[in-house]
Amino acid sequence: MNKSDKRSDILQVTLELIAERGFHDAPMSEIAGKAHVAAGTIYRYFENKDILINELFREIGDKLLEAILNNYPEGKPVQEQFSHVFGELCRYFLTNPLHFRYMEQFFNSPYGISKRRDKLSGKNIHQDKRDTLQEIFDEGISKLILKDLPMSVLSSLAIGPMLYVIRDHTLGFVVLDESLIRRITEACWDAIKR
Amino acid sequence: MNKSDKRSDILQVTLELIAERGFHDAPMSEIAGKAHVAAGTIYRYFENKDILINELFREIGDKLLEAILNNYPEGKPVQEQFSHVFGELCRYFLTNPLHFRYMEQFFNSPYGISKRRDKLSGKNIHQDKRDTLQEIFDEGISKLILKDLPMSVLSSLAIGPMLYVIRDHTLGFVVLDESLIRRITEACWDAIKR
DNA sequence: ATTGTATAAATGAACATTCATTCATTAAAA
DNA sequence: TTTTAATGAATGAATGTTCATTTATACAAT
Protein backbone atom coordinates (compact mmCIF):
# COMPACT_ATOMS: atom_id res chain seq x y z
CA MET A 1 0.00 0.00 0.00
CA ASN A 2 1.47 3.28 -1.15
CA LYS A 3 2.05 5.97 1.43
CA SER A 4 -0.15 8.42 -0.48
CA ASP A 5 -2.93 5.88 -0.86
CA LYS A 6 -5.25 7.18 1.83
CA ARG A 7 -4.36 10.73 1.07
CA SER A 8 -5.49 10.49 -2.52
CA ASP A 9 -8.54 8.49 -1.51
CA ILE A 10 -9.55 11.34 0.73
CA LEU A 11 -8.97 13.90 -2.02
CA GLN A 12 -10.94 11.85 -4.52
CA VAL A 13 -13.93 11.48 -2.24
CA THR A 14 -13.80 15.16 -1.33
CA LEU A 15 -13.84 15.97 -5.02
CA GLU A 16 -16.86 13.78 -5.66
CA LEU A 17 -18.86 15.00 -2.70
CA ILE A 18 -18.23 18.70 -3.15
CA ALA A 19 -18.61 18.64 -6.92
CA GLU A 20 -21.98 16.99 -6.60
CA ARG A 21 -23.36 18.52 -3.45
CA GLY A 22 -21.45 21.71 -2.70
CA PHE A 23 -19.17 22.85 0.10
CA HIS A 24 -21.93 22.69 2.59
CA ASP A 25 -23.29 19.14 2.61
CA ALA A 26 -19.88 17.54 2.36
CA PRO A 27 -19.18 16.65 5.98
CA MET A 28 -15.84 15.33 7.07
CA SER A 29 -17.50 12.27 8.55
CA GLU A 30 -18.98 11.31 5.21
CA ILE A 31 -15.72 11.98 3.41
CA ALA A 32 -14.05 9.69 5.91
CA GLY A 33 -16.67 6.99 5.49
CA LYS A 34 -16.62 6.98 1.69
CA ALA A 35 -12.82 6.97 1.70
CA HIS A 36 -12.85 3.97 4.07
CA VAL A 37 -10.89 5.88 6.60
CA ALA A 38 -11.56 6.95 10.15
CA ALA A 39 -12.64 10.51 10.75
CA GLY A 40 -9.47 11.37 12.58
CA THR A 41 -7.25 10.02 9.84
CA ILE A 42 -8.11 12.89 7.53
CA TYR A 43 -6.39 15.20 10.00
CA ARG A 44 -3.14 13.34 9.62
CA TYR A 45 -3.06 14.48 6.00
CA PHE A 46 -4.87 17.80 6.14
CA GLU A 47 -4.76 20.20 9.04
CA ASN A 48 -8.44 21.09 8.66
CA LYS A 49 -11.27 21.19 6.15
CA ASP A 50 -10.30 24.51 4.62
CA ILE A 51 -6.81 23.30 3.93
CA LEU A 52 -8.19 20.12 2.41
CA ILE A 53 -10.41 22.17 0.13
CA ASN A 54 -7.60 24.46 -0.93
CA GLU A 55 -5.17 21.61 -1.43
CA LEU A 56 -7.63 19.85 -3.71
CA PHE A 57 -7.98 23.03 -5.72
CA ARG A 58 -4.23 23.26 -6.07
CA GLU A 59 -3.86 19.69 -7.29
CA ILE A 60 -6.59 20.01 -9.87
CA GLY A 61 -5.02 23.25 -11.07
CA ASP A 62 -1.69 21.54 -11.46
CA LYS A 63 -3.15 18.69 -13.49
CA LEU A 64 -5.04 21.11 -15.70
CA LEU A 65 -1.94 23.17 -16.32
CA GLU A 66 0.03 20.05 -17.13
CA ALA A 67 -2.55 19.07 -19.71
CA ILE A 68 -2.41 22.50 -21.28
CA LEU A 69 1.36 22.71 -21.39
CA ASN A 70 1.65 19.29 -22.96
CA ASN A 71 2.61 19.73 -26.61
CA TYR A 72 2.29 23.48 -26.26
CA PRO A 73 3.24 25.04 -29.62
CA GLU A 74 6.10 27.18 -28.34
CA GLY A 75 7.15 29.85 -30.80
CA LYS A 76 4.24 29.15 -33.12
CA PRO A 77 1.71 31.85 -34.13
CA VAL A 78 -0.47 33.19 -31.38
CA GLN A 79 -3.64 31.94 -32.96
CA GLU A 80 -2.27 28.44 -32.90
CA GLN A 81 -1.25 28.74 -29.26
CA PHE A 82 -4.66 30.10 -28.52
CA SER A 83 -6.39 27.18 -30.21
CA HIS A 84 -4.16 24.76 -28.39
CA VAL A 85 -4.89 26.15 -24.95
CA PHE A 86 -8.58 26.24 -25.71
CA GLY A 87 -8.79 22.74 -27.06
CA GLU A 88 -6.86 21.27 -24.16
CA LEU A 89 -8.80 23.19 -21.55
CA CYS A 90 -12.00 21.99 -23.07
CA ARG A 91 -10.91 18.38 -23.48
CA TYR A 92 -9.60 18.25 -19.94
CA PHE A 93 -12.86 19.37 -18.44
CA LEU A 94 -14.96 17.15 -20.67
CA THR A 95 -12.84 14.22 -19.55
CA ASN A 96 -12.99 15.32 -15.92
CA PRO A 97 -16.41 16.80 -15.34
CA LEU A 98 -16.04 16.59 -11.58
CA HIS A 99 -12.91 18.71 -11.76
CA PHE A 100 -14.89 21.25 -13.70
CA ARG A 101 -17.72 21.42 -11.21
CA TYR A 102 -15.28 21.65 -8.34
CA MET A 103 -13.34 24.50 -9.92
CA GLU A 104 -16.49 26.39 -10.79
CA GLN A 105 -17.79 26.20 -7.26
CA PHE A 106 -14.42 27.08 -5.82
CA PHE A 107 -13.92 30.14 -7.98
CA ASN A 108 -17.40 31.43 -7.30
CA SER A 109 -17.19 30.94 -3.55
CA PRO A 110 -15.42 33.06 -0.98
CA TYR A 111 -12.51 30.59 -1.26
CA GLY A 112 -11.83 31.55 -4.84
CA ILE A 113 -12.56 35.20 -4.30
CA SER A 114 -10.01 35.53 -1.54
CA LYS A 115 -7.53 33.66 -3.71
CA ARG A 116 -7.98 36.17 -6.50
CA ARG A 117 -7.78 39.03 -4.06
CA ASP A 118 -4.48 37.74 -2.73
CA LYS A 119 -3.17 37.49 -6.25
CA LEU A 120 -4.18 41.05 -7.00
CA SER A 121 -2.51 42.43 -3.92
CA GLY A 122 0.67 40.54 -4.69
CA LYS A 123 0.32 38.11 -1.82
CA ASN A 124 1.32 35.28 -4.13
CA ILE A 125 4.30 34.17 -2.12
CA HIS A 126 5.64 31.37 -4.26
CA GLN A 127 5.65 32.35 -7.91
CA ASP A 128 3.56 29.30 -8.66
CA LYS A 129 2.72 27.58 -11.87
CA ARG A 130 -0.69 29.09 -12.31
CA ASP A 131 1.00 32.35 -13.13
CA THR A 132 2.66 30.68 -16.05
CA LEU A 133 -0.71 30.25 -17.67
CA GLN A 134 -1.36 33.93 -17.20
CA GLU A 135 2.01 34.69 -18.77
CA ILE A 136 1.22 32.59 -21.77
CA PHE A 137 -1.85 34.64 -22.39
CA ASP A 138 -0.01 37.84 -21.60
CA GLU A 139 2.73 37.21 -24.06
CA GLY A 140 0.61 35.62 -26.73
CA ILE A 141 -2.01 38.32 -26.60
CA SER A 142 0.04 41.47 -26.39
CA LYS A 143 2.36 40.49 -29.23
CA LEU A 144 -0.10 40.08 -32.04
CA ILE A 145 -2.82 42.06 -33.66
CA LEU A 146 -5.44 41.84 -30.95
CA LYS A 147 -8.00 44.36 -29.80
CA ASP A 148 -6.61 47.10 -27.62
CA LEU A 149 -8.42 46.03 -24.45
CA PRO A 150 -7.18 45.46 -20.90
CA MET A 151 -5.49 42.15 -20.38
CA SER A 152 -8.20 40.85 -18.05
CA VAL A 153 -10.92 41.74 -20.53
CA LEU A 154 -9.20 39.86 -23.31
CA SER A 155 -8.87 36.77 -21.22
CA SER A 156 -12.51 37.02 -20.18
CA LEU A 157 -13.51 37.22 -23.81
CA ALA A 158 -11.43 34.17 -24.50
CA ILE A 159 -12.11 31.98 -21.49
CA GLY A 160 -15.60 33.03 -20.43
CA PRO A 161 -17.61 31.53 -23.27
CA MET A 162 -15.77 28.23 -23.17
CA LEU A 163 -16.47 27.72 -19.49
CA TYR A 164 -20.13 28.50 -19.98
CA VAL A 165 -20.37 26.10 -22.86
CA ILE A 166 -18.70 23.38 -20.85
CA ARG A 167 -21.20 23.92 -18.09
CA ASP A 168 -24.02 23.58 -20.58
CA HIS A 169 -22.42 20.43 -21.87
CA THR A 170 -22.23 18.83 -18.43
CA LEU A 171 -25.90 19.64 -17.98
CA GLY A 172 -26.88 18.20 -21.32
CA PHE A 173 -27.91 21.46 -22.97
CA VAL A 174 -25.47 20.91 -25.78
CA VAL A 175 -23.13 18.17 -26.98
CA LEU A 176 -19.57 19.30 -27.43
CA ASP A 177 -17.72 17.38 -30.12
CA GLU A 178 -14.37 18.18 -31.72
CA SER A 179 -15.93 20.09 -34.58
CA LEU A 180 -18.02 22.25 -32.28
CA ILE A 181 -15.03 22.95 -30.04
CA ARG A 182 -13.11 24.14 -33.07
CA ARG A 183 -15.88 26.45 -34.18
CA ILE A 184 -16.28 27.94 -30.71
CA THR A 185 -12.55 28.52 -30.55
CA GLU A 186 -12.78 30.39 -33.83
CA ALA A 187 -15.67 32.47 -32.55
CA CYS A 188 -13.65 33.41 -29.47
CA TRP A 189 -10.75 34.29 -31.67
CA ASP A 190 -13.04 36.59 -33.61
CA ALA A 191 -13.91 38.31 -30.37
CA ILE A 192 -10.32 39.14 -29.44
CA LYS A 193 -8.66 39.70 -32.81
CA ARG A 194 -8.63 43.23 -34.08
CA MET B 1 -44.49 49.85 9.50
CA ASN B 2 -45.28 48.18 6.20
CA LYS B 3 -46.34 44.58 6.29
CA SER B 4 -43.46 43.57 4.03
CA ASP B 5 -41.02 45.55 6.10
CA LYS B 6 -39.56 42.67 8.03
CA ARG B 7 -39.76 40.43 5.04
CA SER B 8 -37.60 42.66 2.89
CA ASP B 9 -35.24 43.32 5.78
CA ILE B 10 -34.68 39.60 6.03
CA LEU B 11 -34.11 39.30 2.29
CA GLN B 12 -31.69 42.20 2.28
CA VAL B 13 -29.60 40.81 5.12
CA THR B 14 -29.62 37.36 3.55
CA LEU B 15 -28.34 38.92 0.36
CA GLU B 16 -25.52 40.70 2.14
CA LEU B 17 -24.43 37.74 4.20
CA ILE B 18 -24.49 35.16 1.44
CA ALA B 19 -22.97 37.43 -1.17
CA GLU B 20 -20.05 38.17 1.10
CA ARG B 21 -19.57 34.90 2.92
CA GLY B 22 -21.26 32.15 0.95
CA PHE B 23 -24.16 29.80 1.60
CA HIS B 24 -22.36 28.09 4.37
CA ASP B 25 -21.47 30.73 6.96
CA ALA B 26 -24.76 32.57 6.67
CA PRO B 27 -26.63 31.19 9.67
CA MET B 28 -30.26 31.97 10.22
CA SER B 29 -29.50 33.30 13.69
CA GLU B 30 -27.16 35.91 12.27
CA ILE B 31 -29.59 36.82 9.53
CA ALA B 32 -32.21 37.33 12.22
CA GLY B 33 -29.89 39.42 14.34
CA LYS B 34 -28.74 41.71 11.55
CA ALA B 35 -32.35 42.14 10.39
CA HIS B 36 -33.36 43.07 13.95
CA VAL B 37 -35.82 40.26 14.07
CA ALA B 38 -36.17 37.20 16.24
CA ALA B 39 -34.93 33.92 14.86
CA GLY B 40 -38.40 32.46 14.73
CA THR B 41 -39.81 35.41 12.83
CA ILE B 42 -37.99 34.43 9.68
CA TYR B 43 -40.09 31.32 9.61
CA ARG B 44 -43.28 33.32 9.42
CA TYR B 45 -42.13 34.64 6.05
CA PHE B 46 -40.11 31.74 4.70
CA GLU B 47 -40.84 28.12 5.34
CA ASN B 48 -37.18 27.24 5.64
CA LYS B 49 -33.71 28.36 4.61
CA ASP B 50 -33.80 26.75 1.19
CA ILE B 51 -37.02 28.51 0.34
CA LEU B 52 -35.56 31.79 1.55
CA ILE B 53 -32.53 31.29 -0.67
CA ASN B 54 -34.62 30.43 -3.71
CA GLU B 55 -37.05 33.25 -3.13
CA LEU B 56 -34.22 35.75 -2.96
CA PHE B 57 -32.90 34.41 -6.23
CA ARG B 58 -36.31 34.84 -7.82
CA GLU B 59 -36.68 38.43 -6.66
CA ILE B 60 -33.25 39.44 -7.90
CA GLY B 61 -33.98 37.79 -11.22
CA ASP B 62 -37.20 39.75 -11.53
CA LYS B 63 -35.51 43.05 -10.86
CA LEU B 64 -32.77 42.29 -13.32
CA LEU B 65 -35.26 41.37 -16.01
CA GLU B 66 -37.20 44.52 -15.33
CA ALA B 67 -34.06 46.59 -15.82
CA ILE B 68 -33.32 44.84 -19.09
CA LEU B 69 -36.82 45.14 -20.49
CA ASN B 70 -36.99 48.84 -19.66
CA ASN B 71 -36.68 50.80 -22.90
CA TYR B 72 -36.08 47.60 -24.81
CA PRO B 73 -35.74 48.50 -28.51
CA GLU B 74 -38.59 46.34 -29.76
CA GLY B 75 -38.52 45.87 -33.51
CA LYS B 76 -35.11 47.48 -33.88
CA PRO B 77 -32.13 45.68 -35.45
CA VAL B 78 -30.80 42.71 -33.55
CA GLN B 79 -27.44 44.30 -32.96
CA GLU B 80 -29.13 47.18 -31.23
CA GLN B 81 -31.24 44.87 -29.07
CA PHE B 82 -28.09 42.98 -28.28
CA SER B 83 -26.25 46.11 -27.22
CA HIS B 84 -29.19 47.17 -25.10
CA VAL B 85 -29.43 43.91 -23.20
CA PHE B 86 -25.71 43.91 -22.68
CA GLY B 87 -25.47 47.42 -21.47
CA GLU B 88 -28.36 47.06 -19.06
CA LEU B 89 -27.14 43.76 -17.71
CA CYS B 90 -23.78 45.28 -17.10
CA ARG B 91 -25.06 48.48 -15.55
CA TYR B 92 -27.43 46.59 -13.31
CA PHE B 93 -24.70 44.45 -11.85
CA LEU B 94 -22.28 47.30 -11.49
CA THR B 95 -24.93 49.18 -9.55
CA ASN B 96 -25.83 46.11 -7.51
CA PRO B 97 -22.61 44.21 -6.93
CA LEU B 98 -24.16 42.15 -4.14
CA HIS B 99 -26.82 40.93 -6.52
CA PHE B 100 -24.07 39.87 -8.86
CA ARG B 101 -22.16 37.92 -6.25
CA TYR B 102 -25.33 36.27 -5.06
CA MET B 103 -26.37 35.19 -8.53
CA GLU B 104 -22.94 33.88 -9.34
CA GLN B 105 -22.83 31.76 -6.24
CA PHE B 106 -26.35 30.56 -6.75
CA PHE B 107 -25.81 29.50 -10.33
CA ASN B 108 -22.61 27.69 -9.53
CA SER B 109 -24.03 25.83 -6.57
CA PRO B 110 -26.28 22.80 -6.51
CA TYR B 111 -29.18 25.24 -6.12
CA GLY B 112 -28.61 26.72 -9.54
CA ILE B 113 -27.68 23.44 -11.12
CA SER B 114 -30.93 21.79 -10.12
CA LYS B 115 -32.79 24.85 -11.36
CA ARG B 116 -31.21 24.48 -14.78
CA ARG B 117 -31.84 20.76 -14.78
CA ASP B 118 -35.52 21.36 -14.07
CA LYS B 119 -35.67 23.81 -16.91
CA LEU B 120 -34.09 21.33 -19.30
CA SER B 121 -36.46 18.56 -18.34
CA GLY B 122 -39.43 20.86 -18.79
CA LYS B 123 -40.25 21.01 -15.11
CA ASN B 124 -40.74 24.75 -15.40
CA ILE B 125 -44.29 24.74 -14.11
CA HIS B 126 -45.16 28.39 -14.46
CA GLN B 127 -43.92 29.78 -17.75
CA ASP B 128 -42.02 32.40 -15.83
CA LYS B 129 -40.46 35.62 -16.90
CA ARG B 130 -36.94 34.35 -17.10
CA ASP B 131 -37.93 32.44 -20.19
CA THR B 132 -38.81 35.72 -21.84
CA LEU B 133 -35.17 36.69 -21.70
CA GLN B 134 -34.30 33.44 -23.40
CA GLU B 135 -36.90 34.14 -26.07
CA ILE B 136 -35.47 37.55 -26.76
CA PHE B 137 -32.14 35.97 -27.51
CA ASP B 138 -33.77 33.17 -29.44
CA GLU B 139 -35.66 35.46 -31.71
CA GLY B 140 -33.00 38.09 -32.07
CA ILE B 141 -30.29 35.60 -32.74
CA SER B 142 -31.92 33.19 -35.15
CA LYS B 143 -33.30 35.94 -37.38
CA LEU B 144 -30.11 37.67 -38.38
CA ILE B 145 -26.81 36.80 -39.91
CA LEU B 146 -25.27 35.08 -36.94
CA LYS B 147 -22.93 32.14 -36.80
CA ASP B 148 -24.65 28.81 -37.30
CA LEU B 149 -24.06 27.54 -33.78
CA PRO B 150 -26.39 25.95 -31.23
CA MET B 151 -28.53 28.43 -29.37
CA SER B 152 -26.87 27.77 -26.01
CA VAL B 153 -23.43 28.27 -27.51
CA LEU B 154 -24.38 31.63 -28.96
CA SER B 155 -25.70 32.85 -25.65
CA SER B 156 -22.57 31.62 -23.89
CA LEU B 157 -20.46 33.56 -26.35
CA ALA B 158 -22.55 36.61 -25.66
CA ILE B 159 -23.08 36.43 -21.91
CA GLY B 160 -20.00 34.57 -20.69
CA PRO B 161 -17.39 37.26 -21.23
CA MET B 162 -19.51 40.00 -19.73
CA LEU B 163 -20.07 38.10 -16.53
CA TYR B 164 -16.37 37.38 -16.20
CA VAL B 165 -15.50 40.98 -16.78
CA ILE B 166 -18.00 42.10 -14.19
CA ARG B 167 -16.46 39.73 -11.70
CA ASP B 168 -13.05 41.20 -12.45
CA HIS B 169 -14.50 44.63 -11.99
CA THR B 170 -15.94 43.83 -8.57
CA LEU B 171 -12.53 42.51 -7.58
CA GLY B 172 -10.72 45.58 -8.86
CA PHE B 173 -8.87 43.89 -11.71
CA VAL B 174 -10.35 46.30 -14.19
CA VAL B 175 -12.46 49.42 -14.14
CA LEU B 176 -15.56 49.21 -16.28
CA ASP B 177 -16.66 52.54 -17.66
CA GLU B 178 -19.22 53.23 -20.35
CA SER B 179 -16.65 53.30 -23.11
CA LEU B 180 -15.19 49.96 -22.09
CA ILE B 181 -18.63 48.40 -21.80
CA ARG B 182 -19.34 49.49 -25.35
CA ARG B 183 -16.13 48.04 -26.68
CA ILE B 184 -16.68 44.74 -24.91
CA THR B 185 -20.18 44.59 -26.31
CA GLU B 186 -18.73 45.08 -29.78
CA ALA B 187 -16.19 42.34 -29.18
CA CYS B 188 -18.96 39.95 -28.13
CA TRP B 189 -20.89 40.91 -31.19
CA ASP B 190 -17.87 40.03 -33.29
CA ALA B 191 -17.90 36.61 -31.67
CA ILE B 192 -21.46 35.78 -32.65
CA LYS B 193 -21.91 37.58 -35.95
CA ARG B 194 -21.15 35.57 -39.05
C1' DA C 1 13.84 -16.65 12.12
C1' DT C 2 12.32 -14.61 16.47
C1' DT C 3 11.71 -11.39 19.69
C1' DG C 4 11.77 -6.77 21.45
C1' DT C 5 11.44 -1.92 20.92
C1' DA C 6 10.58 2.46 19.05
C1' DT C 7 8.19 5.13 15.77
C1' DA C 8 4.48 6.12 12.85
C1' DA C 9 -0.28 5.50 11.29
C1' DA C 10 -4.93 4.83 12.10
C1' DT C 11 -8.91 4.57 14.83
C1' DG C 12 -13.48 6.15 16.38
C1' DA C 13 -15.84 7.51 20.49
C1' DA C 14 -16.25 11.80 22.78
C1' DC C 15 -16.47 16.85 22.77
C1' DA C 16 -17.71 21.32 22.02
C1' DT C 17 -19.93 24.05 18.67
C1' DT C 18 -22.99 25.45 15.56
C1' DC C 19 -27.12 25.50 13.26
C1' DA C 20 -31.93 25.15 11.52
C1' DT C 21 -36.15 24.79 13.38
C1' DT C 22 -39.93 24.60 16.88
C1' DC C 23 -43.26 26.24 20.10
C1' DA C 24 -45.11 27.98 24.37
C1' DT C 25 -45.61 32.59 25.50
C1' DT C 26 -46.13 37.54 24.92
C1' DA C 27 -47.36 41.72 22.39
C1' DA C 28 -49.91 44.06 18.89
C1' DA C 29 -53.79 44.73 15.86
C1' DA C 30 -58.41 44.29 14.41
C1' DT D 1 -62.27 39.68 22.63
C1' DT D 2 -60.28 37.39 18.92
C1' DT D 3 -56.91 36.98 15.69
C1' DT D 4 -52.49 37.72 13.99
C1' DA D 5 -47.56 38.70 14.54
C1' DA D 6 -43.37 38.31 16.96
C1' DT D 7 -40.38 36.53 20.30
C1' DG D 8 -36.29 33.90 21.82
C1' DA D 9 -35.14 30.13 24.80
C1' DA D 10 -35.10 25.29 24.04
C1' DT D 11 -34.37 21.26 21.07
C1' DG D 12 -32.15 17.97 18.65
C1' DA D 13 -29.50 16.88 14.87
C1' DA D 14 -25.17 17.63 12.51
C1' DT D 15 -20.55 18.97 12.15
C1' DG D 16 -15.49 19.85 12.65
C1' DT D 17 -12.01 18.48 15.47
C1' DT D 18 -9.45 16.12 19.26
C1' DC D 19 -7.06 12.57 21.66
C1' DA D 20 -6.39 8.41 24.38
C1' DT D 21 -5.82 4.07 22.60
C1' DT D 22 -4.89 0.50 19.30
C1' DT D 23 -2.62 -1.35 15.32
C1' DA D 24 0.93 -1.59 11.98
C1' DT D 25 5.67 -0.89 10.52
C1' DA D 26 10.73 -0.58 10.78
C1' DC D 27 14.60 -2.06 12.59
C1' DA D 28 18.01 -4.07 16.01
C1' DA D 29 19.58 -7.59 18.80
C1' DT D 30 19.51 -12.10 19.82
PDB file of all heavy atoms in Angstrom, chain B residues 129-141:
ATOM      1  N   LYS B 129     -40.989  34.509 -16.119  1.00  0.00           N
ATOM      2  CA  LYS B 129     -40.456  35.621 -16.898  1.00  0.00           C
ATOM      3  C   LYS B 129     -39.057  35.349 -17.430  1.00  0.00           C
ATOM      4  O   LYS B 129     -38.672  35.854 -18.466  1.00  0.00           O
ATOM      5  CB  LYS B 129     -40.408  36.868 -16.017  1.00  0.00           C
ATOM      6  CG  LYS B 129     -41.791  37.354 -15.615  1.00  0.00           C
ATOM      7  CD  LYS B 129     -41.694  38.720 -14.967  1.00  0.00           C
ATOM      8  CE  LYS B 129     -42.891  38.990 -14.070  1.00  0.00           C
ATOM      9  NZ  LYS B 129     -42.530  39.679 -12.849  1.00  0.00           N
ATOM     10  N   ARG B 130     -38.310  34.576 -16.685  1.00  0.00           N
ATOM     11  CA  ARG B 130     -36.938  34.347 -17.096  1.00  0.00           C
ATOM     12  C   ARG B 130     -36.866  33.702 -18.481  1.00  0.00           C
ATOM     13  O   ARG B 130     -35.880  33.818 -19.187  1.00  0.00           O
ATOM     14  CB  ARG B 130     -36.183  33.520 -16.064  1.00  0.00           C
ATOM     15  CG  ARG B 130     -34.781  34.026 -15.849  1.00  0.00           C
ATOM     16  CD  ARG B 130     -34.214  33.652 -14.484  1.00  0.00           C
ATOM     17  NE  ARG B 130     -35.223  33.295 -13.522  1.00  0.00           N
ATOM     18  CZ  ARG B 130     -36.063  34.168 -12.940  1.00  0.00           C
ATOM     19  NH1 ARG B 130     -35.977  35.441 -13.227  1.00  0.00           N
ATOM     20  NH2 ARG B 130     -36.950  33.753 -12.072  1.00  0.00           N
ATOM     21  N   ASP B 131     -37.917  33.020 -18.860  1.00  0.00           N
ATOM     22  CA  ASP B 131     -37.931  32.442 -20.190  1.00  0.00           C
ATOM     23  C   ASP B 131     -38.039  33.521 -21.258  1.00  0.00           C
ATOM     24  O   ASP B 131     -37.552  33.338 -22.368  1.00  0.00           O
ATOM     25  CB  ASP B 131     -39.100  31.462 -20.315  1.00  0.00           C
ATOM     26  CG  ASP B 131     -38.790  30.172 -19.591  1.00  0.00           C
ATOM     27  OD1 ASP B 131     -37.599  29.881 -19.425  1.00  0.00           O
ATOM     28  OD2 ASP B 131     -39.730  29.475 -19.191  1.00  0.00           O
ATOM     29  N   THR B 132     -38.677  34.618 -20.899  1.00  0.00           N
ATOM     30  CA  THR B 132     -38.809  35.721 -21.843  1.00  0.00           C
ATOM     31  C   THR B 132     -37.428  36.187 -22.312  1.00  0.00           C
ATOM     32  O   THR B 132     -37.204  36.406 -23.504  1.00  0.00           O
ATOM     33  CB  THR B 132     -39.535  36.900 -21.171  1.00  0.00           C
ATOM     34  OG1 THR B 132     -40.644  36.406 -20.439  1.00  0.00           O
ATOM     35  CG2 THR B 132     -40.018  37.889 -22.220  1.00  0.00           C
ATOM     36  N   LEU B 133     -36.537  36.286 -21.362  1.00  0.00           N
ATOM     37  CA  LEU B 133     -35.171  36.694 -21.701  1.00  0.00           C
ATOM     38  C   LEU B 133     -34.582  35.744 -22.733  1.00  0.00           C
ATOM     39  O   LEU B 133     -33.995  36.170 -23.733  1.00  0.00           O
ATOM     40  CB  LEU B 133     -34.314  36.711 -20.438  1.00  0.00           C
ATOM     41  CG  LEU B 133     -32.892  37.230 -20.607  1.00  0.00           C
ATOM     42  CD1 LEU B 133     -32.886  38.637 -21.156  1.00  0.00           C
ATOM     43  CD2 LEU B 133     -32.158  37.167 -19.286  1.00  0.00           C
ATOM     44  N   GLN B 134     -34.768  34.472 -22.476  1.00  0.00           N
ATOM     45  CA  GLN B 134     -34.297  33.438 -23.404  1.00  0.00           C
ATOM     46  C   GLN B 134     -34.898  33.650 -24.784  1.00  0.00           C
ATOM     47  O   GLN B 134     -34.217  33.597 -25.795  1.00  0.00           O
ATOM     48  CB  GLN B 134     -34.698  32.060 -22.856  1.00  0.00           C
ATOM     49  CG  GLN B 134     -34.191  30.893 -23.684  1.00  0.00           C
ATOM     50  CD  GLN B 134     -32.740  30.583 -23.371  1.00  0.00           C
ATOM     51  OE1 GLN B 134     -32.109  31.283 -22.579  1.00  0.00           O
ATOM     52  NE2 GLN B 134     -32.199  29.564 -24.008  1.00  0.00           N
ATOM     53  N   GLU B 135     -36.210  33.951 -24.799  1.00  0.00           N
ATOM     54  CA  GLU B 135     -36.904  34.144 -26.075  1.00  0.00           C
ATOM     55  C   GLU B 135     -36.342  35.324 -26.858  1.00  0.00           C
ATOM     56  O   GLU B 135     -36.205  35.277 -28.070  1.00  0.00           O
ATOM     57  CB  GLU B 135     -38.401  34.364 -25.824  1.00  0.00           C
ATOM     58  CG  GLU B 135     -39.144  33.064 -25.553  1.00  0.00           C
ATOM     59  CD  GLU B 135     -40.457  33.331 -24.829  1.00  0.00           C
ATOM     60  OE1 GLU B 135     -40.991  34.445 -24.973  1.00  0.00           O
ATOM     61  OE2 GLU B 135     -40.930  32.427 -24.119  1.00  0.00           O
ATOM     62  N   ILE B 136     -36.047  36.385 -26.106  1.00  0.00           N
ATOM     63  CA  ILE B 136     -35.465  37.551 -26.762  1.00  0.00           C
ATOM     64  C   ILE B 136     -34.218  37.160 -27.525  1.00  0.00           C
ATOM     65  O   ILE B 136     -34.044  37.472 -28.706  1.00  0.00           O
ATOM     66  CB  ILE B 136     -35.107  38.625 -25.720  1.00  0.00           C
ATOM     67  CG1 ILE B 136     -36.386  39.239 -25.145  1.00  0.00           C
ATOM     68  CG2 ILE B 136     -34.233  39.710 -26.349  1.00  0.00           C
ATOM     69  CD1 ILE B 136     -36.121  40.130 -23.960  1.00  0.00           C
ATOM     70  N   PHE B 137     -33.369  36.413 -26.843  1.00  0.00           N
ATOM     71  CA  PHE B 137     -32.144  35.965 -27.508  1.00  0.00           C
ATOM     72  C   PHE B 137     -32.473  35.056 -28.673  1.00  0.00           C
ATOM     73  O   PHE B 137     -31.962  35.214 -29.768  1.00  0.00           O
ATOM     74  CB  PHE B 137     -31.250  35.221 -26.515  1.00  0.00           C
ATOM     75  CG  PHE B 137     -30.236  36.108 -25.878  1.00  0.00           C
ATOM     76  CD1 PHE B 137     -30.373  36.514 -24.554  1.00  0.00           C
ATOM     77  CD2 PHE B 137     -29.135  36.548 -26.588  1.00  0.00           C
ATOM     78  CE1 PHE B 137     -29.445  37.348 -23.972  1.00  0.00           C
ATOM     79  CE2 PHE B 137     -28.195  37.369 -26.008  1.00  0.00           C
ATOM     80  CZ  PHE B 137     -28.347  37.781 -24.695  1.00  0.00           C
ATOM     81  N   ASP B 138     -33.350  34.116 -28.406  1.00  0.00           N
ATOM     82  CA  ASP B 138     -33.772  33.167 -29.437  1.00  0.00           C
ATOM     83  C   ASP B 138     -34.141  33.888 -30.709  1.00  0.00           C
ATOM     84  O   ASP B 138     -33.566  33.677 -31.769  1.00  0.00           O
ATOM     85  CB  ASP B 138     -35.014  32.400 -28.937  1.00  0.00           C
ATOM     86  CG  ASP B 138     -34.677  30.952 -28.622  1.00  0.00           C
ATOM     87  OD1 ASP B 138     -33.758  30.411 -29.263  1.00  0.00           O
ATOM     88  OD2 ASP B 138     -35.305  30.393 -27.728  1.00  0.00           O
ATOM     89  N   GLU B 139     -35.134  34.756 -30.555  1.00  0.00           N
ATOM     90  CA  GLU B 139     -35.664  35.461 -31.709  1.00  0.00           C
ATOM     91  C   GLU B 139     -34.589  36.323 -32.361  1.00  0.00           C
ATOM     92  O   GLU B 139     -34.283  36.192 -33.530  1.00  0.00           O
ATOM     93  CB  GLU B 139     -36.828  36.337 -31.250  1.00  0.00           C
ATOM     94  CG  GLU B 139     -37.600  36.959 -32.401  1.00  0.00           C
ATOM     95  CD  GLU B 139     -38.395  38.173 -31.929  1.00  0.00           C
ATOM     96  OE1 GLU B 139     -38.920  38.120 -30.801  1.00  0.00           O
ATOM     97  OE2 GLU B 139     -38.454  39.160 -32.667  1.00  0.00           O
ATOM     98  N   GLY B 140     -33.991  37.163 -31.544  1.00  0.00           N
ATOM     99  CA  GLY B 140     -32.997  38.085 -32.074  1.00  0.00           C
ATOM    100  C   GLY B 140     -31.858  37.381 -32.769  1.00  0.00           C
ATOM    101  O   GLY B 140     -31.376  37.837 -33.805  1.00  0.00           O
ATOM    102  N   ILE B 141     -31.467  36.271 -32.214  1.00  0.00           N
ATOM    103  CA  ILE B 141     -30.291  35.597 -32.742  1.00  0.00           C
ATOM    104  C   ILE B 141     -30.586  34.803 -34.014  1.00  0.00           C
ATOM    105  O   ILE B 141     -29.853  34.867 -34.993  1.00  0.00           O
ATOM    106  CB  ILE B 141     -29.670  34.686 -31.662  1.00  0.00           C
ATOM    107  CG1 ILE B 141     -28.769  35.535 -30.763  1.00  0.00           C
ATOM    108  CG2 ILE B 141     -28.868  33.572 -32.285  1.00  0.00           C
ATOM    109  CD1 ILE B 141     -28.261  34.819 -29.552  1.00  0.00           C
TER     110      ILE B 141
END
